[in-house]
Amino acid sequence: MRRWLRRTIPSMFHRRLLLLALIATVLLGALGLRAARLTTGERHDYYRAKAERPLQQVTTIPTVRGRILDRTGAVLALDEPSWDVHVHYTLLTQEWVLEQAQTAARLTVGWDSWKEMSGYERDAKAAEFLPAYDEQLEQMWQLLADLSGTPRDELEATRQQIVRRTEQVAALVSEKRRQERMAELGEEVTAAEAYTPIREQTQTHAVLFDVSNDAVALL
C-alpha cells in the first residue's frame, strides 16, 4: 500500500495533505451523522418538545355568561339555564319493572327456595309485585309531565319512538352478527345465539328538552 501510494503520489507534502483530507472527511461525516440523528426522527421530536416546554405559557381566559345588551342598555339576549331529562332504557321498556319484581320475589321466598322453583312458579311469584313497581314507574312519568308541562300522551309517544328506533337498530346489528357467525362457523346460527345488547339499550335517552331550572330543582 505504501509503495503504491509513493508511486502514485511521489510528493510527501501531497500525501500528508491527502491524509489530513481523509481525517477531516471522517470527522465531518461523523458530525453530520450525529446532527442528522438529533434533527430528524422521534428523538428530535422528543428533545425539541422538551426544550420548548418551558417556553410555552398557558393562560386561562375567564368566560362571562349573562345578558347581551345594546349600546343603550336594552336587553338583546338573556341567558337562562335549561336542562334535558334522560331516562334509562330499562325504564322505557318496562324491563326495570320486571327486574325489580323478580328481585323482590326472590328476596321474599329466599335464594334456596327460588332455585328449586320452576320458571312458571318464578313468574307467578314475581307477578305479585308487578303492580307496585308499575305504579312507581307511572308516578315517575306523571311527575315529569307535571313539572315540564308536557302532556302525558306526548311523553308516551316519545318513549315509544325511542324504543322503536332502538329495537330497529338492535335487530339490524343482531342480524349482521348472525350472518358473520354463520360465515365463520359454516353452520346455522339462531338470532338468540347471535344477540348482544347494543349500547343504546344500556344507556339513558333524552325524553324532555329545555326544562327550566326551577322544574329541575323539584325533581
Side-chain angles (χ1 to χ4, degrees):
M1 182 66 182
R2 289 184 177 180
R3 294 179 180 178
W4 177 83
L5 188 59
R6 288 177 180 178
R7 288 197 303 267
T8 305
I9 307 176
S11 173
M12 176 67 72
F13 171 77
H14 289 94
R15 289 200 298 272
R16 292 180 176 176
L17 185 62
L18 177 61
L19 180 59
L20 292 175
L22 290 175
I23 294 175
T25 301
V26 172
L27 291 176
L28 290 176
L31 292 175
L33 180 61
R34 180 62 176 173
R37 293 183 60 186
L38 292 176
T39 56
T40 59
E42 295 181 359
R43 291 178 62 87
H44 164 65
D45 296 337
Y46 170 76
Y47 285 113
R48 180 175 180 179
K50 184 177 180 180
E52 293 180 351
R53 194 174 298 118
L55 303 178
Q56 298 176 355
Q57 296 182 355
V58 179
T59 302
T60 302
I61 301 176
T63 60
V64 179
R65 298 175 60 89
R67 301 177 301 170
I68 300 177
L69 309 177
D70 65 6
R71 62 179 181 177
T72 63
V75 178
L76 299 178
L78 185 63
D79 183 24
E80 293 183 354
S82 62
W83 304 81
D84 295 342
V85 177
H86 287 240
V87 175
H88 198 274
Y89 189 74
T90 56
L91 294 172
L92 301 176
T93 61
Q94 300 283 334
E95 182 179 349
W96 177 84
V97 172
L98 297 176
E99 291 177 351
Q100 296 301 314
Q102 289 179 353
T103 299
R106 185 170 62 249
L107 293 175
T108 300
V109 301
W111 178 248
D112 293 336
S113 300
W114 182 262
K115 290 190 297 182
E116 297 176 357
M117 296 172 64
S118 65
Y120 175 80
E121 291 173 334
R122 291 180 180 181
D123 292 341
K125 188 62 178 179
E128 299 177 7
F129 299 90
L130 287 177
Y133 290 105
D134 270 328
E135 183 180 356
Q136 289 186 29
L137 187 58
E138 178 59 30
Q139 289 177 355
M140 182 202 75
W141 287 114
Q142 191 60 48
L143 176 63
L144 293 178
D146 294 340
L147 292 179
S148 64
T150 304
R152 181 67 181 84
D153 57 349
E154 184 175 333
L155 277 177
E156 177 62 20
T158 300
R159 184 194 70 81
Q160 293 179 2
Q161 181 181 9
I162 295 173
V163 172
R164 183 167 55 252
R165 182 177 64 248
T166 303
E167 288 181 347
Q168 290 174 351
V169 174
L172 292 175
V173 173
S174 179
E175 177 60 22
K176 181 179 179 181
R177 289 172 178 166
R178 190 178 75 87
Q179 296 294 337
E180 291 175 349
R181 290 196 60 184
M182 286 196 303
E184 179 182 354
L185 300 176
E187 60 184 25
E188 184 65 24
V189 176
T190 65
E193 293 174 336
Y195 175 77
T196 302
I198 62 175
R199 184 181 62 179
E200 287 79 357
Q201 293 174 309
T202 61
Q203 65 183 14
T204 61
H205 296 262
V207 296
L208 290 173
F209 301 91
D210 296 330
V211 180
S212 67
N213 198 41
D214 294 337
V216 171
L218 298 175
L219 291 177

